[in-house]
Amino acid sequence: MVKYLIGVLFLIIGALAWMYFGVGKPKVYQESFQLAPSPHFYGRPDLSVSKIAIKAFYFVPKNRTKRTSSEWYQVLEKSLKKLVNFNSLQLQGRSEVVYKIYPVPIVGEKEGIDYDTENTQYGNPQALLAMNREIKRRVLDSAGDLYDLDFSETEAPYRRVAMILYEGVGASGTDDAAMVSRIFLTDPEYSLTGATIFTHEFYHTLGLPDGYTIPEAVPTTEDIMGLGKQRPVEKTYIQREFLRKLGI
Amino acid sequence: MAEKIRQFLISHFLGSRLQLKFVLVFIILAAVPVFILGITAIYLIDLSHRRDVSGLEMSLIDQEVGQIKKFLADTLGIIELRVGFTQKSEIELSQQQFLLGGLLEENRAFEEVSFISLEGLETAKIIRGGGEVELQNVSQLPKFKTAKDGKNFIGEIGHTLVGPILTLAAPVVNRNGDIIQILSAEVNLRQIVTFTETQKLGLSGYLILTDNHGVMIAPRRIGRGRSGNDLSAWSRVKQILEGKILNALNVRDRYESFFNFQPVIGAGRRVPEIDWAVLAEWPVQDADSVVQDIRNQVTNITLFGVLAVFLLAPFFASRLLKPIRLLKEGAEAVENGKWDTKVEIATDDELQELGEAFNKMTVGLKRLQELKNEFVFIAAHELRTPVTAIKGYLSMIREGSAGELNDKTKEYLEPVWQSNERLGKLVDDILEIARSEAGKLKVEVKPENIVDIIQAALLQIKPVADKKKISLQYSPQTDLPRVLTDTGKLTEIVLNLISNAIKYNHDGGWIKIYYKVEPQFVMTHIEDNGFGMSVEDQKHVFEKFFRAESGATKTVQGTGLGLFITHELVEKMGGKISFKSTEGQGTTFSFGLPIA
């Protein structure tokens, strides 16, 4: 009989334990969802763009020094700040952008025509390539005449991007550099869209393509790479398809 | 303490098998319903609560869906422009500018509005807060193509610094229903975001809104989530976008939130037509706070109920068994000769009737015993006269009063003499027992010197011992305290014990008589090196008519009443008696008499 009593005691203790820890206690499932990993270069998951260091310059060909803008630093910094905010929103805070502005205009070794060449169509990419080469050689290379240790070096794992305010014409971007004409940031005609164009060109450095046809320039997307390039940067965005290809 | 617990368990649980059975039945009968009630209550409360939570979440989601649909319907209604003329020509440019200005003025959600020609060229465009804008060819954009086909266009949501923006476009039709232009608008969804953010479930529940791609629109920030996060890979969002309604009733609707890592109860559904997803998450701690309190109370009450059953069951069982125990004790008392035993059972039921019947039975038994004792007493008394007479005549015959006896006659007469002696002894014993049981045995104790009495008894029995060459070793002590005893009865006790020690001993054996003084008693020990008793015989040694009849004791003659009478006499004198025996080695009887 004693063993029955002990058995009943165990059953009751078990029932109590079940009541306390089982009945009516919510079971919580683990959701396996996670956001996509860090953003990367457009279509290239192996190339992280989670940290970007912008080196910003005001580039003046040697024959245009008389046209040098006095407000270049302010407008450049303003546009960079807008870019940082825009990027933070679009890439959901997963891409950190820091910038440094070279404190004085870079006076080019050549004249304007040498950078622009005879063809300045499609944003004057020739000038960008030439200026980028010269900046790398003169500013970013330790042997360059304008090399400045504090400015020129880029800490790992930041990805270096050159943003050039050009005392000339055009707006274009490549994988590691972009340039916009100083006109876009200072001329009242572009007061609404100047920073948007600056930002648009920056995204070429992350690999984003244009959202319009070439050479007709008919927008094919509504975002900053297309029609949205004509809106204030505060009111434009990067479309979902591009973001996905950036790993967002 | 442990001993007390053990005693408690023994007395309340393990005391008797019947009590244990009662306790078990009580526990099972009382605890099982308590458990069933407790578990059922918790289950039903939980079920009802889950439905309530589901109802609240779905209601809030429906409210959100309603707001979104209304917002879109209102906004689309504004840009679904119908002009008052019938021509297929475009609206005049100045009119277009005027209309666009009015639209921006009227609706704060519009960030940009534009007219588009059927060729896909923007003909007029105004951006809120903006200046001059460059008109574009938008013929490649889906908004133009869709609206040109006569359908309203609801585009992708873009996340801008001024809030999520949605592109809407609708055809402009003339009075005949001909499409003459397209009206496009960039609509700020700030209003929906704000509405979503202000919706609350309880203290901390919230809503999440995603677009048809699973990209979060609102709230702007929640935990580690922020507007623009792509949630399309999240199974819950995926299910909702596929059209499934998550109603918070499924077991998987309780999960750890991606946003703040806390357990939540989730629900969700798709917004019809635009296929956005609305999700609700209500932290379990908040949603279940009341029901968990109730659950804890029910669980505690159940626990206390079960504990009460455990504590009360032994007492109830004990109370139920009390009449049975009284009957058992009464029966044992009757067994021990206490014929006037009565049991008092006042249960007002069959058990009380049983107690009354028991009492009547004891009265009957007592009467029967009295009759028996009377009969035995009378029979023994009547037998004593002829036995005494026979003894007298036999004595005279043996002494030669009836003439000289030859050897043959003497030889034949000896067994007759012995048998008569035994018969006489038997009659004396029966008479003594009958007197004792009838309460007529008189014992008059007074302070006496035990040594003198025992010495006299030894002298009396010494010839018998000598016959078997048994040495009586007596160590009298002069400083023994006086004891309360009846001289005659003490002599009878000593003779009984020593004669037994002689009878159940080998020829040439020994008997030692010695004393020990205890605080209240003077103990007399009579030790022999005789046959001893088996363990089984020892259990019955003071019983009436019991005789050990194994091995060497088979031939010893006796009535089996001596030790019974000895036991009775010692107890009647307020003393105590005990023995130790080892078969084949001997026995020691010890009796103690109270010190005077």
Side-chain angles (χ1 to χ4, degrees), chain B residues 327 330 339-345 352-366:
Chain B
L327 283 168
W339 302 100
D340 53 353
T341 301
K342 288 201 182 307
V343 292
E344 296 293 334
I345 299 171
Q352 185 174 335
E353 289 171 16
L354 181 61
E356 288 164 1
F358 179 86
N359 289 338
K360 284 177 189 170
M361 182 189 75
T362 57
V363 169
L365 283 172
K366 188 183 178 188

Side-chain angles (χ1 to χ4, degrees), chain A residues 199-213:
Chain A
T199 306
H200 168 102
E201 301 306 338
F202 165 77
Y203 281 102
H204 285 310
T205 69
L206 303 189
L208 262 62
D210 280 319
Y212 48 79
T213 60

Side-chain angles (χ1 to χ4, degrees), chain B residues 220-239:
Chain B
R220 279 165 277 205
R221 263 191 181 281
I222 177 151
R224 60 171 170 159
R226 58 193 287 176
S227 173
N229 280 156
D230 186 351
L231 308 178
S232 60
W234 184 12
S235 62
R236 296 185 68 80
V237 171
K238 213 181 278 182
Q239 288 176 67

